[in-house]
Coordinates of all heavy atoms in Angstrom, one line a residue:
M47 N 6.5 4.9 6.5 CA 6.0 4.0 5.4 C 6.1 2.5 5.9 O 7.2 2.3 6.4 CB 6.7 4.2 4.1 CG 6.4 5.5 3.4 SD 4.9 5.5 2.4 CE 5.5 4.9 0.9
K48 N 5.1 1.8 5.5 CA 5.3 0.4 5.8 C 5.0 -0.4 4.5 O 4.4 0.1 3.6 CB 4.2 -0.1 6.9 CG 4.6 0.4 8.2 CD 3.6 -0.1 9.3 CE 4.0 0.5 10.7 NZ 3.1 0.0 11.7
T49 N 5.3 -1.7 4.4 CA 5.2 -2.5 3.3 C 4.4 -3.8 3.5 O 4.7 -4.4 4.5 CB 6.6 -2.9 2.7 OG1 7.3 -1.7 2.4 CG2 6.4 -3.6 1.4
M50 N 3.4 -4.0 2.7 CA 2.7 -5.3 2.8 C 2.7 -5.8 1.4 O 2.5 -5.1 0.4 CB 1.2 -5.2 3.3 CG 1.2 -5.1 4.8 SD -0.6 -5.1 5.4 CE -0.8 -6.8 5.9
T51 N 3.0 -7.2 1.3 CA 3.0 -7.8 0.0 C 1.6 -8.2 -0.4 O 0.7 -8.3 0.3 CB 3.9 -9.0 -0.1 OG1 3.3 -10.0 0.8 CG2 5.3 -8.6 0.3
C52 N 1.5 -8.4 -1.8 CA 0.3 -9.0 -2.4 C -0.2 -10.3 -1.5 O -1.3 -10.4 -1.2 CB 0.5 -9.3 -3.8 SG -0.8 -10.2 -4.7
K53 N 0.8 -11.1 -1.3 CA 0.6 -12.4 -0.5 C 0.0 -12.1 0.9 O -1.0 -12.8 1.3 CB 1.9 -13.2 -0.4 CG 1.7 -14.6 -0.4 CD 3.0 -15.4 -0.4 CE 3.3 -15.9 -1.8 NZ 4.5 -16.5 -2.0
Q54 N 0.5 -11.1 1.6 CA 0.1 -10.9 3.0 C -1.4 -10.3 2.9 O -2.1 -10.4 3.9 CB 1.0 -9.7 3.6 CG 2.3 -10.3 4.1 CD 3.2 -9.1 4.5 OE1 3.5 -8.2 3.8 NE2 3.6 -9.2 5.9
L55 N -1.8 -9.8 1.7 CA -3.1 -9.3 1.6 C -4.1 -10.3 0.9 O -5.1 -9.9 0.3 CB -3.1 -7.9 0.8 CG -2.4 -6.8 1.6 CD1 -1.9 -5.7 0.7 CD2 -3.4 -6.2 2.5
G56 N -3.6 -11.5 0.8 CA -4.5 -12.5 0.2 C -4.3 -12.9 -1.2 O -5.0 -13.7 -1.8
G57 N -3.3 -12.2 -1.8 CA -3.0 -12.5 -3.2 C -1.9 -13.6 -3.3 O -1.3 -14.1 -2.4
P58 N -1.5 -13.9 -4.6 CA -0.6 -15.0 -4.9 C 0.8 -14.6 -5.1 O 1.7 -15.5 -5.2 CB -1.2 -15.6 -6.2 CG -1.8 -14.5 -6.9 CD -2.3 -13.5 -5.8
C59 N 1.1 -13.3 -5.2 CA 2.6 -13.0 -5.6 C 3.2 -12.1 -4.5 O 2.5 -11.8 -3.4 CB 2.6 -12.3 -6.9 SG 2.2 -10.5 -6.9
D60 N 4.4 -11.8 -4.7 CA 5.2 -11.1 -3.6 C 5.4 -9.6 -3.9 O 6.3 -9.0 -3.4 CB 6.6 -11.8 -3.5 CG 6.4 -13.1 -2.8 OD1 5.8 -13.2 -1.8 OD2 7.1 -14.1 -3.3
L61 N 4.6 -9.0 -4.7 CA 4.7 -7.6 -5.1 C 4.4 -6.8 -3.8 O 3.5 -7.0 -3.1 CB 3.6 -7.3 -6.1 CG 3.8 -5.8 -6.6 CD1 4.7 -5.7 -7.8 CD2 2.4 -5.2 -6.9
P62 N 5.4 -5.9 -3.5 CA 5.2 -5.1 -2.2 C 4.3 -3.8 -2.5 O 4.4 -3.2 -3.5 CB 6.6 -4.7 -1.9 CG 7.4 -4.7 -3.2 CD 6.6 -5.7 -4.1
H63 N 3.5 -3.6 -1.6 CA 2.7 -2.3 -1.6 C 3.2 -1.4 -0.5 O 3.3 -1.9 0.7 CB 1.2 -2.6 -1.4 CG 0.6 -3.4 -2.4 ND1 0.7 -3.1 -3.8 CD2 0.0 -4.6 -2.4 CE1 0.1 -4.0 -4.5 NE2 -0.3 -5.0 -3.7
H64 N 3.5 -0.2 -0.6 CA 3.9 0.7 0.4 C 2.8 1.7 0.8 O 2.1 2.2 -0.1 CB 5.2 1.5 -0.1 CG 6.2 0.6 -0.7 ND1 7.1 -0.1 0.1 CD2 6.5 0.4 -1.9 CE1 7.8 -0.9 -0.6 NE2 7.5 -0.5 -2.0
G65 N 2.7 2.0 2.0 CA 1.7 3.0 2.4 C 1.9 3.5 3.9 O 2.6 2.8 4.7
E66 N 1.3 4.6 4.2 CA 1.4 5.1 5.6 C 0.2 4.4 6.4 O 0.3 4.4 7.7 CB 1.1 6.6 5.6 CG 2.1 7.5 4.8 CD 3.5 7.5 5.5 OE1 3.5 7.1 6.7 OE2 4.5 7.9 4.9
T67 N -0.9 4.0 5.8 CA -1.9 3.3 6.5 C -2.3 2.0 5.8 O -2.0 1.8 4.7 CB -3.2 4.3 6.5 OG1 -3.7 4.3 5.1 CG2 -2.9 5.7 7.0
A68 N -3.1 1.2 6.7 CA -3.6 0.0 6.1 C -4.5 0.2 4.9 O -4.5 -0.5 4.0 CB -4.3 -0.8 7.2
D69 N -5.2 1.3 5.0 CA -6.2 1.6 3.9 C -5.5 1.8 2.6 O -5.9 1.4 1.5 CB -7.0 2.9 4.3 CG -8.0 2.6 5.3 OD1 -8.8 1.6 5.2 OD2 -8.2 3.4 6.3
Q70 N -4.3 2.5 2.7 CA -3.5 2.7 1.5 C -3.1 1.4 0.8 O -3.1 1.3 -0.4 CB -2.3 3.6 1.8 CG -2.7 5.1 2.0 CD -1.5 6.0 2.2 OE1 -0.4 5.5 2.3 NE2 -1.8 7.3 2.4
V71 N -2.6 0.5 1.7 CA -2.0 -0.7 1.0 C -3.2 -1.6 0.6 O -3.1 -2.3 -0.4 CB -1.0 -1.5 2.0 CG1 0.2 -0.7 2.3 CG2 -1.8 -1.9 3.2
I72 N -4.3 -1.5 1.2 CA -5.5 -2.3 0.8 C -6.0 -1.7 -0.6 O -6.2 -2.5 -1.5 CB -6.6 -2.3 1.8 CG1 -6.3 -3.1 3.1 CG2 -7.9 -2.8 1.2 CD1 -7.2 -2.8 4.2
K73 N -6.0 -0.4 -0.7 CA -6.4 0.2 -2.0 C -5.4 -0.2 -3.0 O -5.7 -0.4 -4.2 CB -6.5 1.7 -1.8 CG -7.7 2.1 -1.1 CD -8.2 3.5 -1.6 CE -9.5 3.9 -0.8 NZ -9.2 4.6 0.5
A74 N -4.1 -0.2 -2.7 CA -3.1 -0.5 -3.7 C -3.2 -2.0 -4.2 O -3.0 -2.3 -5.4 CB -1.7 -0.3 -3.1
Q75 N -3.5 -2.8 -3.2 CA -3.7 -4.3 -3.6 C -5.0 -4.4 -4.5 O -5.0 -5.2 -5.5 CB -3.9 -5.1 -2.3 CG -4.3 -6.5 -2.6 CD -3.2 -7.3 -3.1 OE1 -2.2 -6.8 -3.5 NE2 -3.4 -8.7 -3.2
D76 N -6.0 -3.6 -4.2 CA -7.2 -3.7 -5.0 C -6.8 -3.3 -6.5 O -7.2 -4.0 -7.4 CB -8.2 -2.7 -4.4 CG -9.6 -2.8 -4.9 OD1 -10.1 -4.1 -5.1 OD2 -10.3 -1.9 -5.2
R77 N -6.1 -2.2 -6.6 CA -5.7 -1.7 -7.9 C -4.8 -2.8 -8.6 O -5.0 -3.1 -9.8 CB -4.9 -0.5 -7.8 CG -5.7 0.8 -7.9 CD -4.8 1.9 -8.3 NE -3.7 2.1 -7.4 CZ -3.7 2.7 -6.2 NH1 -4.8 3.2 -5.8 NH2 -2.7 2.8 -5.5
H78 N -3.9 -3.3 -7.8 CA -3.0 -4.3 -8.4 C -3.7 -5.5 -8.9 O -3.5 -6.1 -10.0 CB -2.0 -4.7 -7.2 CG -1.2 -6.0 -7.5 ND1 -0.4 -6.2 -8.6 CD2 -1.2 -7.2 -6.8 CE1 0.1 -7.4 -8.5 NE2 -0.4 -8.1 -7.5
L79 N -4.7 -6.0 -8.0 CA -5.5 -7.2 -8.5 C -6.2 -6.9 -9.8 O -6.2 -7.7 -10.7 CB -6.5 -7.6 -7.4 CG -5.9 -8.2 -6.1 CD1 -7.0 -8.3 -5.1 CD2 -5.2 -9.5 -6.3
K80 N -6.9 -5.7 -9.9 CA -7.6 -5.4 -11.1 C -6.6 -5.3 -12.3 O -7.0 -5.8 -13.4 CB -8.3 -4.0 -10.9 CG -9.6 -4.2 -10.1 CD -10.2 -2.9 -9.9 CE -11.4 -3.0 -8.9 NZ -11.7 -1.8 -8.2
D81 N -5.5 -4.7 -12.1 CA -4.5 -4.5 -13.2 C -4.0 -5.8 -13.7 O -4.0 -6.0 -14.9 CB -3.3 -3.7 -12.6 CG -3.6 -2.2 -12.6 OD1 -4.7 -1.8 -12.9 OD2 -2.7 -1.5 -12.1
V82 N -3.6 -6.7 -12.9 CA -3.0 -8.0 -13.4 C -4.0 -8.8 -14.0 O -3.8 -9.6 -15.0 CB -2.1 -8.7 -12.3 CG1 -0.9 -7.9 -12.0 CG2 -2.9 -9.0 -11.1
V83 N -5.2 -8.9 -13.4 CA -6.3 -9.7 -14.0 C -6.7 -9.1 -15.3 O -6.9 -9.9 -16.3 CB -7.6 -9.8 -13.0 CG1 -8.7 -10.5 -13.7 CG2 -7.1 -10.7 -11.8
A84 N -6.8 -7.8 -15.4 CA -7.1 -7.2 -16.7 C -6.0 -7.5 -17.7 O -6.2 -7.6 -18.9 CB -7.3 -5.6 -16.5
G85 N -4.8 -7.7 -17.2 CA -3.6 -8.1 -18.1 C -3.6 -9.5 -18.4 O -2.7 -9.9 -19.1
G86 N -4.6 -10.3 -17.9 CA -4.7 -11.7 -18.3 C -4.0 -12.7 -17.4 O -3.7 -13.8 -17.8
D87 N -3.8 -12.3 -16.1 CA -3.2 -13.1 -15.1 C -4.1 -13.9 -14.4 O -4.9 -13.3 -13.5 CB -2.3 -12.4 -14.1 CG -1.6 -13.3 -13.1 OD1 -2.1 -14.4 -12.9 OD2 -0.6 -12.8 -12.6
P88 N -4.4 -15.2 -14.6 CA -5.4 -16.0 -14.0 C -5.1 -16.3 -12.5 O -6.0 -16.6 -11.7 CB -5.4 -17.3 -14.8 CG -4.1 -17.5 -15.4 CD -3.5 -16.0 -15.6
A89 N -3.8 -16.2 -12.2 CA -3.4 -16.5 -10.7 C -4.1 -15.6 -9.7 O -4.3 -15.9 -8.6 CB -1.9 -16.5 -10.6
H90 N -4.4 -14.4 -10.2 CA -4.9 -13.3 -9.3 C -6.5 -13.3 -9.2 O -7.0 -12.5 -8.5 CB -4.4 -12.0 -9.6 CG -3.0 -11.7 -9.2 ND1 -1.9 -12.3 -9.7 CD2 -2.4 -11.0 -8.1 CE1 -0.8 -11.9 -9.2 NE2 -1.0 -11.1 -8.2
E91 N -7.1 -14.1 -10.1 CA -8.5 -14.0 -10.3 C -9.2 -14.3 -9.0 O -10.2 -13.6 -8.6 CB -9.0 -15.0 -11.4 CG -8.9 -14.3 -12.8 CD -9.3 -15.2 -13.9 OE1 -9.9 -16.3 -13.6 OE2 -8.9 -14.9 -15.0
G92 N -8.8 -15.3 -8.3 CA -9.4 -15.8 -7.0 C -9.4 -14.7 -6.0 O -10.3 -14.4 -5.3
A93 N -8.2 -14.1 -5.9 CA -8.0 -13.0 -4.9 C -8.8 -11.8 -5.3 O -9.3 -11.1 -4.4 CB -6.5 -12.6 -4.9
L94 N -9.0 -11.5 -6.5 CA -9.8 -10.3 -7.0 C -11.2 -10.6 -6.7 O -12.0 -9.7 -6.2 CB -9.6 -10.1 -8.4 CG -10.5 -9.0 -9.0 CD1 -10.1 -7.6 -8.4 CD2 -10.3 -8.8 -10.6
K95 N -11.7 -11.8 -6.8 CA -13.1 -12.2 -6.5 C -13.3 -12.0 -5.0 O -14.3 -11.5 -4.6 CB -13.4 -13.6 -6.9 CG -13.8 -13.7 -8.4 CD -14.5 -15.2 -8.6 CE -14.5 -15.4 -10.1 NZ -13.8 -16.7 -10.5
E96 N -12.3 -12.4 -4.2 CA -12.4 -12.3 -2.8 C -12.5 -10.8 -2.4 O -13.4 -10.4 -1.6 CB -11.2 -12.9 -2.1 CG -11.3 -14.4 -1.8 CD -12.3 -14.7 -0.8 OE1 -12.2 -14.3 0.4 OE2 -13.4 -15.3 -1.2
M97 N -11.7 -10.0 -3.0 CA -11.7 -8.6 -2.7 C -13.1 -8.0 -3.1 O -13.6 -7.2 -2.3 CB -10.6 -7.9 -3.4 CG -10.3 -6.5 -3.1 SD -9.7 -6.4 -1.4 CE -7.9 -6.3 -1.7
K98 N -13.6 -8.3 -4.3 CA -14.8 -7.7 -4.7 C -16.0 -8.2 -3.8 O -16.9 -7.4 -3.4 CB -15.2 -8.3 -6.1 CG -14.4 -7.5 -7.2 CD -14.9 -7.9 -8.6 CE -14.2 -7.1 -9.7 NZ -14.4 -7.7 -11.0
R99 N -15.9 -9.4 -3.3 CA -16.9 -10.0 -2.4 C -16.9 -9.1 -1.1 O -17.9 -8.8 -0.5 CB -16.7 -11.4 -2.2 CG -17.7 -12.1 -1.4 CD -17.4 -13.6 -1.1 NE -16.1 -13.7 -0.3 CZ -15.9 -13.5 1.0 NH1 -17.0 -13.1 1.6 NH2 -14.8 -13.6 1.5
R100 N -15.7 -8.8 -0.7 CA -15.6 -8.1 0.6 C -16.2 -6.7 0.4 O -16.9 -6.2 1.3 CB -14.0 -7.9 0.9 CG -13.5 -9.2 1.5 CD -12.1 -8.9 2.1 NE -11.3 -10.1 2.2 CZ -10.4 -10.4 1.3 NH1 -10.0 -9.6 0.4 NH2 -9.7 -11.6 1.5
W101 N -15.9 -6.0 -0.7 CA -16.5 -4.7 -0.9 C -18.1 -4.8 -0.9 O -18.7 -3.8 -0.4 CB -16.0 -4.0 -2.2 CG -14.6 -3.7 -2.2 CD1 -13.8 -3.9 -3.4 CD2 -13.7 -3.2 -1.2 NE1 -12.5 -3.5 -3.1 CE2 -12.4 -3.1 -1.8 CE3 -13.9 -2.8 0.0 CZ2 -11.4 -2.6 -1.1 CZ3 -12.8 -2.3 0.8 CH2 -11.5 -2.2 0.1
R102 N -18.6 -5.9 -1.4 CA -20.0 -6.0 -1.5 C -20.7 -6.3 -0.1 O -21.8 -6.1 0.1 CB -20.4 -7.1 -2.5 CG -20.5 -6.7 -3.9 CD -21.3 -7.6 -4.8 NE -20.9 -9.0 -4.7 CZ -19.9 -9.5 -5.4 NH1 -19.3 -8.8 -6.3 NH2 -19.6 -10.8 -5.3
H103 N -19.9 -6.9 0.7 CA -20.4 -7.3 2.1 C -19.5 -6.7 3.1 O -18.7 -7.4 3.7 CB -20.4 -8.8 2.2 CG -21.2 -9.5 1.1 ND1 -22.6 -9.6 1.1 CD2 -20.8 -10.2 0.0 CE1 -23.0 -10.2 0.0 NE2 -21.9 -10.6 -0.7
P104 N -19.7 -5.5 3.3 CA -18.7 -4.7 4.3 C -18.8 -5.2 5.7 O -17.8 -5.2 6.5 CB -19.2 -3.3 4.2 CG -20.3 -3.2 3.3 CD -20.6 -4.5 2.8
I105 N -19.9 -5.8 6.1 CA -19.9 -6.3 7.5 C -19.1 -7.6 7.6 O -18.3 -7.7 8.5 CB -21.4 -6.6 7.9 CG1 -22.3 -5.4 7.7 CG2 -21.5 -7.1 9.4 CD1 -21.9 -4.1 8.6
A106 N -19.4 -8.5 6.7 CA -18.6 -9.8 6.7 C -17.0 -9.4 6.4 O -16.2 -10.2 6.9 CB -19.1 -10.7 5.6
N107 N -16.8 -8.4 5.8 CA -15.5 -7.9 5.5 C -14.7 -7.4 6.7 O -13.4 -7.3 6.7 CB -15.6 -6.9 4.4 CG -14.3 -6.0 4.2 OD1 -13.2 -6.6 4.1 ND2 -14.4 -4.7 4.2
M108 N -15.6 -7.0 7.7 CA -15.0 -6.2 8.8 C -13.9 -7.0 9.6 O -12.8 -6.4 9.9 CB -16.1 -5.9 9.8 CG -15.8 -4.7 10.7 SD -15.0 -3.3 9.9 CE -16.4 -2.5 9.1
E109 N -14.0 -8.3 9.7 CA -13.0 -9.1 10.4 C -11.7 -9.1 9.6 O -10.6 -9.0 10.2 CB -13.5 -10.5 10.7 CG -12.9 -11.2 11.9 CD -12.7 -10.3 13.1 OE1 -13.6 -9.7 13.6 OE2 -11.5 -10.2 13.5
W110 N -11.8 -9.3 8.3 CA -10.6 -9.3 7.5 C -9.9 -7.9 7.6 O -8.7 -7.8 7.8 CB -11.0 -9.7 6.1 CG -9.8 -9.6 5.1 CD1 -9.0 -10.7 4.9 CD2 -9.3 -8.5 4.3 NE1 -8.0 -10.3 3.9 CE2 -8.2 -8.9 3.6 CE3 -9.8 -7.2 4.1 CZ2 -7.5 -8.1 2.7 CZ3 -9.1 -6.4 3.3 CH2 -8.0 -6.9 2.6
Y111 N -10.7 -6.9 7.5 CA -10.2 -5.5 7.5 C -9.5 -5.2 8.9 O -8.4 -4.7 8.9 CB -11.4 -4.6 7.3 CG -11.0 -3.1 7.3 CD1 -10.3 -2.6 6.3 CD2 -11.4 -2.3 8.3 CE1 -10.0 -1.2 6.2 CE2 -11.1 -0.9 8.3 CZ -10.4 -0.4 7.2 OH -10.0 0.9 7.2
K112 N -10.1 -5.7 10.0 CA -9.5 -5.4 11.3 C -8.2 -6.2 11.4 O -7.2 -5.6 12.0 CB -10.5 -5.8 12.3 CG -11.5 -4.7 12.6 CD -12.2 -4.9 14.0 CE -13.5 -5.6 13.8 NZ -14.3 -5.9 15.0
Q113 N -8.3 -7.5 10.9 CA -7.0 -8.3 11.0 C -5.9 -7.7 10.2 O -4.8 -7.6 10.6 CB -7.3 -9.7 10.5 CG -6.1 -10.6 10.6 CD -5.7 -10.8 12.1 OE1 -6.5 -11.0 13.0 NE2 -4.4 -10.6 12.3
T114 N -6.3 -7.2 9.0 CA -5.3 -6.5 8.1 C -4.7 -5.2 8.8 O -3.5 -5.0 8.7 CB -5.9 -6.2 6.7 OG1 -6.4 -7.3 6.1 CG2 -4.9 -5.6 5.8
K115 N -5.6 -4.5 9.4 CA -5.1 -3.3 10.1 C -4.2 -3.8 11.3 O -3.2 -3.0 11.6 CB -6.3 -2.5 10.7 CG -7.0 -1.7 9.6 CD -8.0 -0.8 10.3 CE -7.5 0.6 10.2 NZ -8.5 1.7 10.4
R116 N -4.5 -4.8 12.0 CA -3.7 -5.3 13.1 C -2.3 -5.8 12.6 O -1.2 -5.4 13.1 CB -4.3 -6.4 13.8 CG -5.3 -6.0 14.9 CD -5.6 -7.1 15.9 NE -6.3 -8.2 15.3 CZ -7.6 -8.3 15.1 NH1 -8.4 -7.3 15.7 NH2 -8.3 -9.2 14.5
D117 N -2.4 -6.5 11.4 CA -1.1 -7.0 10.8 C -0.2 -5.7 10.4 O 1.0 -5.7 10.6 CB -1.4 -7.8 9.5 CG -2.1 -9.1 9.9 OD1 -2.0 -9.5 11.1 OD2 -2.5 -9.8 9.0
F118 N -0.9 -4.8 9.8 CA -0.2 -3.5 9.4 C 0.5 -2.8 10.5 O 1.6 -2.4 10.5 CB -1.1 -2.6 8.6 CG -0.5 -1.5 7.9 CD1 0.1 -1.6 6.7 CD2 -0.4 -0.2 8.6 CE1 0.7 -0.5 6.1 CE2 0.3 0.9 8.0 CZ 0.8 0.7 6.7
A119 N -0.4 -2.7 11.6 CA 0.1 -2.0 12.8 C 1.3 -2.7 13.4 O 2.3 -2.1 14.0 CB -1.0 -1.9 13.8
A120 N 1.4 -4.0 13.3 CA 2.5 -4.8 13.9 C 3.8 -4.7 13.1 O 4.9 -5.2 13.5 CB 2.1 -6.3 14.0
L121 N 3.7 -4.3 11.7 CA 4.9 -4.2 10.9 C 5.9 -3.2 11.4 O 5.4 -2.1 11.9 CB 4.4 -3.9 9.5 CG 3.6 -5.0 8.7 CD1 3.2 -4.4 7.4 CD2 4.6 -6.2 8.4
A122 N 7.1 -3.4 11.0 CA 8.1 -2.4 11.3 C 8.1 -1.3 10.2 O 7.6 -1.6 9.0 CB 9.5 -3.0 11.3
E123 N 8.4 -0.1 10.5 CA 8.5 0.9 9.5 C 9.6 0.6 8.5 O 10.6 0.0 8.9 CB 8.9 2.3 10.2 CG 7.7 2.8 11.1 CD 6.6 3.5 10.3 OE1 6.8 3.9 9.2 OE2 5.6 3.7 11.0
D124 N 9.4 1.0 7.2 CA 10.4 0.7 6.3 C 11.7 1.6 6.5 O 11.6 2.6 7.0 CB 9.9 1.2 4.8 CG 9.0 0.1 4.4 OD1 8.8 -0.9 5.0 OD2 8.3 0.4 3.3
Ligands
ZN317 ZN1 0.0 -10.0 -6.9

């Protein structure tokens, strides 16, 4: 397992996400952004918009995705 924080994934807080793959932590971040924004946290709105924009434009998103995968690969195991 590895850990990436909300902040490392483009968000504003230090909440850690744990996963075996970059895809798992990206999905966890996606859920986290939706949850906290639904809960009324304005600090995460920008990050949620970015995430939604990425899903709508998968080609433009590819560089971010690849970079996130590289960052994840470079992390030490928990
Ligand atoms: Zn967060």
Side-chain angles (χ1 to χ4, degrees):
M47 293 277 273
K48 294 182 179 184
T49 303
M50 279 184 102
T51 63
C52 176
K53 206 172 260 175
Q54 285 175 300
L55 293 156
C59 81
D60 289 314
L61 184 91
H63 300 300
H64 309 284
E66 298 289 347
T67 65
D69 287 313
Q70 284 180 1
V71 295
I72 291 169
K73 286 208 179 86
Q75 172 71 351
D76 194 39
R77 267 199 310 276
H78 163 63
L79 291 173
K80 284 179 186 151
D81 283 355
V82 292
V83 170
D87 181 339
H90 283 73
E91 274 173 18
L94 179 61
K95 272 194 200 123
E96 273 294 293
M97 190 68 94
K98 282 186 175 163
R99 188 183 57 75
R100 287 193 199 101
W101 296 138
R102 275 200 307 273
H103 304 285
I105 306 296
N107 162 50
M108 199 46 75
E109 204 39 56
W110 179 86
Y111 181 69
K112 277 196 265 181
Q113 184 60 50
T114 302
K115 283 190 110 165
R116 276 196 294 270
D117 291 347
F118 187 86
L121 290 172
E123 296 278 344
D124 284 349

